[in-house]
Amino acid sequence: ETGVTQTPRHLVMGMTNKKSLKCEQHLGHNAMYWYKQSAKKPLELMFVYSLEERVENNSVPSRFSPECPNSSHLFLHLHTLQPEDSALYLCASSQVPGGETQYFGPGTRLLVL
Amino acid sequence: DAKTTQPPSMDCAEGRAANLPCNHSTISGNEYVYWYRQIHSQGPQYIIHGLKNNETNEMASLIITEDRKSSTLILPHATLRDTAVYYCIVRVRAGGTSYGKLTFGQGTILTVHP
């Protein structure tokens, strides 16, 4: 049973829509991560929040906007996405230090039309 | 971080041991070996990690060679539910307030057959 939940599990949106992905961790961790997994590609780290402060932003386009209101919640706000943004978006959490042991949510499967 | 090399795919019969190799010949003395797996359309799952000693938990065993240039993840009695992509990652363990930055490669697709 995962201690990291993500909603929605599936999302279809048009290029002009605005939507948000939500992640919640119930593990008492203090770091949270957003990853993107496109078809046939390895996971790509997008954003990291450690101790509620954004510490990594891997050259992600500004149409993706993360928000971490507290150590248990993480959002990814989406606007004016492109079809190539269709992917599985995964949230993870960990304790820092020692953040290599990460616990992942089930992901949100996003389709941009 | 040290580069890892894994076979793209492996097969295993149900009930038999699955031995998944990983080569990390450029590993540094302070780098750990981590294993994750990803069942189709799910998030990755942490399995085990080690520095130089062999490790065992309820999911698997990790055997690291004495020179640390390679390792093997062992699933002692593979089941159909173990069919997944298995990732070997080498990484310095973060200290202080540093977070973990994992770099996932292509991994090994393990298929367990009835």
Side-chain angles (χ1 to χ4, degrees), chain B residues 30-67:
Chain B
N30 60 349
E31 288 183 308
Y32 286 71
V33 180
Y34 292 83
W35 283 85
Y36 281 77
R37 74 179 182 183
Q38 186 174 21
I39 296 170
H40 182 61
S41 293
Q42 297 183 22
Q45 178 187 24
Y46 165 78
I47 302 173
I48 198 167
H49 74 277
L51 181 63
K52 55 183 178 181
N53 297 321
N54 297 338
E55 302 288 344
T56 296
N57 62 20
E58 65 279 3
M59 289 184 67
S61 294
L62 174 60
I63 307 299
I64 302 174
T65 58
E66 191 169 345
D67 63 7

Side-chain angles (χ1 to χ4, degrees), chain B residues 95-112:
Chain B
T97 57
S98 298
Y99 62 94
K101 185 172 179 178
L102 297 177
T103 302
F104 289 83
Q106 297 287 358
T108 295
I109 301 172
L110 174 68
T111 303
V112 180

Side-chain angles (χ1 to χ4, degrees), chain A residues 2-80:
Chain A
T2 181
V4 181
T5 58
Q6 291 187 244
T7 54
R9 295 292 309 277
H10 301 272
L11 179 62
V12 180
M13 60 186 289
M15 289 190 286
T16 59
N17 292 159
K18 289 185 180 181
K19 297 287 184 182
S20 294
L21 309 185
K22 179 182 177 182
C23 175
E24 184 173 359
Q25 60 96 0
H26 312 273
L27 301 169
H29 289 161
N30 54 13
M32 297 187 78
Y33 311 74
W34 278 118
Y35 289 85
K36 174 185 178 182
Q37 188 172 34
S38 303
K40 306 296 184 184
K41 288 187 176 181
L43 279 80
E44 303 170 58
L45 181 64
M46 300 175 71
F47 300 105
V48 182
Y49 278 82
S50 178
L51 303 173
E52 299 175 36
E53 181 179 335
R54 190 192 309 182
V55 295
E56 180 109 9
N57 178 349
N58 274 350
S59 302
V60 179
S62 60
R63 57 186 184 268
F64 295 91
S65 175
E67 178 189 2
C68 186
N70 55 61
S71 60
S72 298
H73 294 87
L74 184 66
F75 295 89
L76 187 62
H77 304 298
L78 316 172
H79 64 97
T80 59

